[in-house]
Amino acid sequence: MKIIHYCVSALLLFALAGCERLEQDMLSAPDDTSIDRYGLDTVKLGEKRPEAAKQLQALLNQPMECKPGKTGLGDKRKAYRLEECTATPTNGTVGKLWNEPLGFFKAVFVEDQLCSLELQLNTSGDYEALYDAHGKKILNLFGKPDEAKATGVLWQRETDEATLKDLGDGKVRLEIRNKQVMQALHHQG
């Protein structure tokens, strides 16, 4: 029953005609227990800044622009090192991920560890082609979705969360974050 729910929901998201292929992909997707941390092919949440920045820079057309700062986490009185890195678009793109143009990029490091990634893929708008090209890869990175709707897919673990959202006009937003750290940053005074 759960697979049928995922199949129907993912069909709406990707506008796929064949449910059998999606169902097979979902069945072969790894379980949460076999996935260490969420991330992209080469970089995962929790990685130290030097290695993570090197891997992320490989996706971009120009060097990342990073703004250092300090922040508290929730109600704790300690100041933590925060660094937000973005990229400036050139001709509407900041780089490429999985051979798809990136229209937006943001990485957040807290205490020199990668805590959040926000990316926007600017695709051709053909979601069946997007799924054909990247669906298995996405399922292998994040496992079986915890929630799938027409507007997006959500993966959750105890510490990590990943969302894939359809923004329309071929734009797809991918957010990968450490739930506890990013919620504490978001809820600070």
Side-chain angles (χ1 to χ4, degrees):
M1 187 67 179
K2 211 173 196 183
I3 293 297
I4 292 170
H5 171 70
Y6 288 146
C7 184
V8 170
S9 300
L11 274 173
L12 293 172
L13 176 65
F14 293 111
L16 294 176
C19 187
E20 282 182 33
R21 179 183 59 200
L22 178 61
E23 187 173 351
Q24 288 299 332
D25 291 348
M26 295 289 274
L27 288 171
S28 64
D31 291 322
D32 277 354
T33 56
S34 64
I35 298 171
D36 184 31
R37 295 294 303 267
Y38 288 160
L40 302 177
D41 301 325
T42 57
V43 64
K44 304 285 185 208
L45 292 178
E47 282 190 20
K48 296 290 183 188
R49 192 208 185 285
E51 186 58 32
K54 179 179 156 186
Q55 299 300 326
L56 292 171
Q57 186 59 58
L59 303 174
L60 304 174
N61 298 334
Q62 297 182 17
M64 287 190 294
E65 300 164 3
C66 298
K67 294 180 182 174
K70 298 260 185 198
T71 186
L73 292 178
D75 294 333
K76 297 183 179 177
R77 297 197 186 284
K78 180 180 176 189
Y80 293 88
R81 285 189 319 275
L82 171 75
E83 189 173 22
E84 294 182 334
C85 300
T86 59
T88 302
T90 305
N91 297 325
T93 66
V94 296
K96 283 193 172 216
L97 173 64
W98 307 322
N99 292 322
E100 299 287 344
L102 286 173
F104 178 80
F105 168 88
K106 181 180 178 184
V108 176
F109 296 92
V110 176
E111 290 293 310
D112 291 325
Q113 289 188 349
L114 181 62
C115 290
S116 172
L117 273 174
E118 294 178 43
L119 308 165
Q120 180 179 299
L121 297 165
N122 293 339
T123 69
S124 65
D126 183 350
Y127 288 101
E128 185 170 357
L130 178 68
Y131 182 78
D132 287 342
H134 310 296
K136 273 190 173 184
K137 184 181 300 181
I138 292 168
L139 291 176
N140 284 333
L141 288 171
F142 306 121
K144 294 174 179 67
D146 292 296
E147 186 179 312
K149 298 180 187 175
T151 56
V153 181
L154 172 69
W155 293 267
Q156 292 189 81
R157 307 187 62 189
E158 188 175 321
T159 58
D160 299 342
E161 179 177 82
T163 58
L164 185 67
K165 295 178 184 174
D166 177 7
L167 302 177
D169 296 326
K171 296 177 181 165
V172 178
R173 186 171 200 88
L174 176 61
E175 296 178 20
I176 307 166
R177 63 192 194 119
N178 177 297
K179 288 193 300 190
Q180 286 105 357
V181 173
M182 297 313 291
Q183 286 173 351
L185 287 174
H186 179 60
H187 290 104
Q188 68 183 356

